[in-house]
Amino acid sequence: MGYNVDYCASGKVVSLRCIECGLSRKNVNPSGRIVGGSAAKLKEWPWQVSLQVQGSHVCGGSIITPEWIVTAAHCVEGQLSSPYYWRVYAGILTQKEMRERSGSRVQNIISHPNYDSDSKDNDVALMKLQTSLSFTGKSSGVLNAVMVPLIQRSRCNSASFYNGLVLPTMICAGYLEGGKDSCQGDSGGPLVTEKNSVWWLVGDTSWGTGCASRGKPGVYGNMTMFTDWIYRNMQVKYIFMLFLQHFIQAYRV
């Protein structure tokens, strides 16, 4: 998706293209693993994926192109950094229906090089799928959604709340009185906002103290800080594959 900004962290121009998965089939207003939310309806959140290991849901993620998924770096730490373990399920609403599908295999996982497992700074990762997703519009526990307001970082960092733990690479969202929030199992899933009938990825679910607790809203990776990094990594892999294909064709000749 493309947008205009007055400032670019890298000093370089980044242009992103809208794809079909950013278009929800209807405007929704959900009343809220999500706490205080409501069950999603067919085609409402087509970019949401379930990231699974050995048939069990581990984290969520977001489709940013037919071949690329963005999730949280803490989901793919240690042994789980190997693409071999993962399957990506798109276009589903219930965990039950995953048993009828094989999911998409992962070709490569790229965690942010400056990810800090203690502070959760730069908590973002990319997954490159072996084969492209097909946007058919078909959809199948149940996917939930909840509306949460953004909270100013300065307020979230006050001594009463997170006391300086929310870094510039993070966004606070939720209710200071608690009651509605993301929770364990939602990690890596999207925080999105709608503008001009297009949904924009604002953050990826990262961390928080408890779930829906008073004074402890959810904390998400700040996608505006990662746009350049995501774009660069997608381009590098794409250019490398083109070079490899050209080399193979030349060698065969």
Side-chain angles (χ1 to χ4, degrees), residues 180-247:
K180 296 182 179 181
D181 195 10
S182 52
C183 198
Q184 281 73 33
D186 295 323
S187 289
L191 174 68
V192 295
T193 187
E194 184 187 20
K195 183 178 180 181
N196 298 327
S197 299
V198 175
W199 289 87
W200 303 80
L201 183 63
V202 175
D204 64 294
T205 307
S206 183
W207 63 277
T209 300
C211 297
S213 301
R214 185 178 182 83
K216 302 296 180 184
V219 184
Y220 303 79
N222 184 352
M223 281 297 132
T224 61
M225 300 292 289
F226 304 137
T227 305
D228 288 359
W229 176 81
I230 290 172
Y231 182 77
R232 284 197 310 271
N233 278 276
M234 289 169 59
Q235 288 297 100
V236 167
K237 299 300 175 183
Y238 176 72
I239 292 171
F240 173 76
M241 289 304 296
L242 286 180
F243 170 79
L244 184 61
Q245 290 171 3
H246 177 76
F247 175 80

Side-chain angles (χ1 to χ4, degrees), residues 55-84:
S56 297
H57 173 88
V58 175
C59 279
S62 301
I63 300 169
I64 53 175
T65 79
E67 294 181 342
W68 289 92
I69 305 297
V70 66
T71 186
H74 77 260
C75 292
V76 293
E77 289 185 276
Q79 188 178 23
L80 293 181
S81 64
S82 170
Y84 170 80

Side-chain angles (χ1 to χ4, degrees), residues 62-245:
S62 301
I63 300 169
I64 53 175
T65 79
E67 294 181 342
W68 289 92
I69 305 297
V70 66
T71 186
H74 77 260
C75 292
V76 293
E77 289 185 276
Q79 188 178 23
L80 293 181
S81 64
S82 170
Y84 170 80
Y85 293 102
W86 294 93
R87 295 290 185 276
V88 176
Y89 291 83
I92 57 171
L93 290 178
T94 64
Q95 295 287 320
K96 175 183 176 182
E97 297 194 27
M98 292 183 190
R99 301 169 192 164
E100 304 168 3
R101 306 188 187 188
S102 58
S104 299
R105 291 178 178 271
V106 177
Q107 177 178 304
N108 193 23
I109 295 177
I110 309 170
S111 290
H112 197 287
N114 298 323
Y115 167 64
D116 187 305
S117 60
D118 294 324
S119 66
K120 296 296 184 290
D121 194 13
N122 298 298
D123 191 9
V124 65
L126 288 168
M127 284 186 173
K128 172 70 163 58
L129 302 181
Q130 288 188 6
T131 56
S132 298
L133 295 171
S134 177
F135 298 141
T136 64
K138 296 179 181 178
S139 299
S140 344
V142 174
L143 177 65
N144 285 324
V146 66
M147 299 290 285
V148 290
L150 298 181
I151 302 172
Q152 285 188 339
R153 186 178 298 110
S154 57
R155 189 175 187 191
C156 216
N157 269 331
S158 68
S160 303
F161 304 121
Y162 281 125
N163 197 26
L165 294 178
V166 182
L167 304 176
T169 58
M170 305 172 187
I171 294 175
C172 263
Y175 296 89
L176 296 179
E177 66 272 21
K180 296 182 179 181
D181 195 10
S182 52
C183 198
Q184 281 73 33
D186 295 323
S187 289
L191 174 68
V192 295
T193 187
E194 184 187 20
K195 183 178 180 181
N196 298 327
S197 299
V198 175
W199 289 87
W200 303 80
L201 183 63
V202 175
D204 64 294
T205 307
S206 183
W207 63 277
T209 300
C211 297
S213 301
R214 185 178 182 83
K216 302 296 180 184
V219 184
Y220 303 79
N222 184 352
M223 281 297 132
T224 61
M225 300 292 289
F226 304 137
T227 305
D228 288 359
W229 176 81
I230 290 172
Y231 182 77
R232 284 197 310 271
N233 278 276
M234 289 169 59
Q235 288 297 100
V236 167
K237 299 300 175 183
Y238 176 72
I239 292 171
F240 173 76
M241 289 304 296
L242 286 180
F243 170 79
L244 184 61
Q245 290 171 3

